[in-house]
Amino acid sequence: MSLSKHGKKSIVQWCDIPVDPSTDVISRLDAIDILNFSATCRQWATICKNIDANFLKSGRPMLLTSQPDQDGTRYKDDVRTGKFGIHDVSKKLSLSCERVGLQRRYWIGGKDDWLVTTNTKFAVELLNPITGSTIPLPSLNKNQAGIKVNGCSRLHMCICPILSVTFDPFTCFIQRVVLTRTPSQHNGYEAIAIFSFGLLAYTSDGEDVWKVLRNPTDNDDGGFNYYPVDFHDAVNFNGRILAVDEGGSIFAWDHHSEDLSPVKLPAPDVQLDDDSKRKMFYLAISPTSRLMLVCLFGHGTGYINKSMRMLRKPTDRFEHMDGILIQEFDDEKAEWRHLPSIGHDQSMFLGLNYPFYRRSVDLEADSVYVADVANNDVLIASLKKDSTVCITKQNFPINETHRVDNGYSVRTPMWFRPTDPVREKI
């Protein structure tokens, strides 16, 4: 800094740094830091735009994966340092990022720009990778029905633990945590944990415990339920928790009630031309605020998990995805109807994330983008006017040997929607 005639240091604003040095600074930042950099002031935003550095666009669907290597392949996922990959599927661009909030932690769900993460001790918290904000969720040991977090188990000598809880008489493995509301929304966050053997647990902002939602097969005779209904997905719709089981049946719980018993709702009968095909169900809220049921169907042989990732999910049983059926509930007629089109040239994004929609000239219009299915990073199911479905896959370069050798240390691909930090404050 130069000295004035009075011997005082003149004040230099960071935003007054010449363009060339600023470009050099930007080149040393990762994609998330660049988004924060561009949000600092208009001049820096202009610099990022001029050099086409603002890789992350607010609201654009991005895919999170384990860390990509510099030559495009993924190498050993360094969970210790919080490294991961972020990809723009429409532009087919990939970058590596690193966040303190992901050090020794794994994502197990998310919504928009928030991730649900856990460590090996099952301490679950919410993370916003853009702002770095973290919010702890209640301990799973704090519940109203006897859930007990187990010590970490390991499979096939993997370096990453398999997370489970005991809910008599079962050992229940976590499949995902559905984040139905984020801390940025009205009334704060809301989350539903889905485990194997039909265990569902609910919590929200302001509560210090997890509520266990009773399985449809539970009874009051004090005996163990050895044949519980398993669930694929859950949402909050019209103030009730809805979950769909492996057969496509839908159940609803009033989480405000002391009696957390479910009510079975009418559901479409999904018939396939081949009974040997496997089904996977997602629930979603349509752009017109109607309940949707999405059925993926494909084929496979028993339980497979070629990717050897940490989470066990119903889609791991797919070797190939063959098609998709979308049903929407018509409130006026009180009936389900087949939906041949999402409408308005929009695309739907499904996976560990809470479902969302996006319209863009860079995306396949009227399509469903599904993350982590049939050992693919992304499968794109495009709905055609003649009622057919065209399925394409998109994988980012990966060394298959690394995928297996790293075992469950490979992060599960999941959709993410970054939000400009300036917009987040509004």
Side-chain angles (χ1 to χ4, degrees):
M1 297 182 182
S2 61
L3 295 177
S4 66
K5 294 181 180 179
H6 300 286
K8 296 181 179 181
K9 293 182 178 180
S10 61
I11 299 176
V12 177
Q13 299 293 336
W14 279 98
C15 59
D16 293 333
I17 296 177
V19 173
D20 289 342
S22 297
T23 302
D24 185 59
V25 170
I26 294 172
S27 67
R28 301 172 187 270
L29 303 178
D30 67 24
I32 292 177
D33 288 329
I34 290 175
L35 181 62
N36 287 313
F37 184 97
S38 64
T40 304
C41 65
R42 290 183 178 180
Q43 183 169 342
W44 283 11
T46 301
I47 293 173
C48 289
K49 183 177 181 179
N50 290 339
I51 64 174
D52 199 24
N54 194 4
F55 170 71
L56 294 186
K57 301 294 184 181
S58 184
R60 175 180 291 177
M62 312 297 296
L63 189 73
L64 302 182
T65 67
S66 54
Q67 184 188 8
D69 205 347
Q70 293 184 0
D71 63 358
T73 62
R74 294 182 208 149
Y75 60 91
K76 185 175 181 179
D77 184 16
D78 197 343
V79 176
R80 179 180 59 83
T81 59
K83 294 181 178 179
F84 62 100
I86 190 164
H87 314 270
D88 185 334
V89 177
S90 62
K91 301 293 185 181
K92 298 183 179 180
L93 298 173
S94 302
L95 287 177
S96 176
C97 294
E98 182 177 335
R99 309 311 284 173
V100 173
L102 278 174
Q103 291 179 355
R104 297 183 173 87
R105 301 189 70 86
Y106 304 83
W107 58 71
I108 54 176
K111 184 179 189 300
D112 299 333
D113 53 346
W114 286 85
L115 307 180
V116 184
T117 71
T118 184
N119 59 9
T120 57
K121 297 181 180 179
F122 231 143
V124 183
E125 67 180 27
L126 305 181
L127 165 69
N128 187 317
I130 305 298
T131 64
S133 301
T134 58
I135 298 176
L137 269 59
S139 169
L140 279 162
N141 279 319
K142 296 181 65 177
N143 60 83
Q144 300 174 330
I147 295 178
K148 180 182 178 182
V149 175
N150 298 328
C152 297
S153 61
R154 299 176 185 274
L155 186 65
H156 302 312
M157 301 302 290
C158 294
I159 64 172
C160 180
I162 309 303
L163 300 178
S164 67
V165 299
T166 295
F167 188 59
D168 286 337
F170 301 108
T171 296
C172 303
F173 297 96
I174 185 69
Q175 293 183 15
R176 61 185 291 206
V177 174
V178 180
L179 187 62
T180 58
R181 287 199 316 256
T182 73
S184 307
Q185 293 179 257
H186 180 64
N187 294 332
Y189 70 80
E190 180 182 63
I192 307 166
I194 303 179
F195 294 85
S196 59
F197 294 105
L199 175 59
L200 295 178
Y202 168 88
T203 192
S204 63
D205 201 355
E207 300 188 25
D208 61 352
V209 298
W210 288 85
K211 297 179 180 179
V212 174
L213 307 180
R214 293 185 63 177
N215 196 271
T217 59
D218 284 349
N219 50 53
D220 297 317
D221 61 6
F224 287 137
N225 174 15
Y226 287 97
Y227 301 99
V229 172
D230 277 325
F231 296 102
H232 284 190
D233 196 14
V235 296
N236 186 327
F237 184 65
N238 290 339
R240 294 191 296 175
I241 301 300
L242 272 58
V244 58
D245 72 5
E246 56 189 354
S249 297
I250 300 175
F251 298 87
W253 292 259
D254 180 359
H255 57 86
H256 298 293
S257 171
E258 292 184 4
D259 182 11
L260 295 176
S261 299
V263 175
K264 190 173 183 178
L265 302 181
D269 185 14
V270 180
Q271 297 288 345
L272 301 179
D273 56 4
D274 185 353
D275 293 337
S276 66
K277 291 183 178 178
R278 299 181 179 275
K279 302 174 186 176
M280 169 65 189
F281 293 97
Y282 286 97
L283 291 171
I285 311 301
S286 74
T288 56
S289 300
R290 290 183 172 179
L291 181 65
M292 298 174 65
L293 179 66
V294 181
C295 175
L296 312 182
F297 57 90
H299 57 276
T301 54
Y303 183 87
I304 63 170
N305 191 344
K306 292 181 179 179
S307 62
M308 296 295 287
R309 295 192 178 105
M310 177 179 168
L311 296 178
R312 295 181 177 182
K313 307 179 303 306
T315 49
D316 293 336
R317 300 185 181 187
F318 282 13
E319 286 186 294
H320 298 280
M321 178 175 158
D322 300 325
I324 187 169
L325 293 172
I326 304 177
Q327 305 275 350
E328 182 183 70
F329 189 72
D330 189 328
D331 298 300
E332 297 176 356
K333 296 182 179 180
E335 63 182 19
W336 289 89
R337 64 184 181 91
H338 174 65
L339 202 64
S341 171
I342 298 173
H344 306 291
D345 293 330
Q346 296 189 96
S347 296
M348 176 191 292
F349 291 81
L350 297 176
L352 282 181
N353 58 286
Y354 198 73
F356 64 89
Y357 304 86
R358 176 75 174 181
R359 179 167 48 196
S360 172
V361 295
D362 298 322
L363 298 171
E364 290 283 344
D366 220 12
S367 298
V368 181
Y369 286 67
V370 190
D372 189 36
V373 178
N375 209 29
N376 293 289
D377 291 338
V378 179
L379 284 182
I380 306 171
S382 301
L383 308 178
K384 302 300 182 181
K385 293 183 179 180
D386 60 357
S387 298
T388 61
V389 178
C390 176
I391 298 177
T392 57
K393 62 182 181 180
Q394 189 171 47
N395 285 313
F396 294 92
I398 182 170
N399 185 320
E400 288 294 337
T401 303
H402 289 161
R403 185 192 291 264
V404 175
D405 287 349
N406 290 338
Y408 283 81
S409 66
V410 178
R411 299 186 187 275
T412 302
M414 187 185 78
W415 296 112
F416 172 71
R417 279 201 298 183
T419 301
D420 190 315
V422 175
R423 298 186 184 184
E424 182 74 14
K425 296 177 182 178
I426 298 176

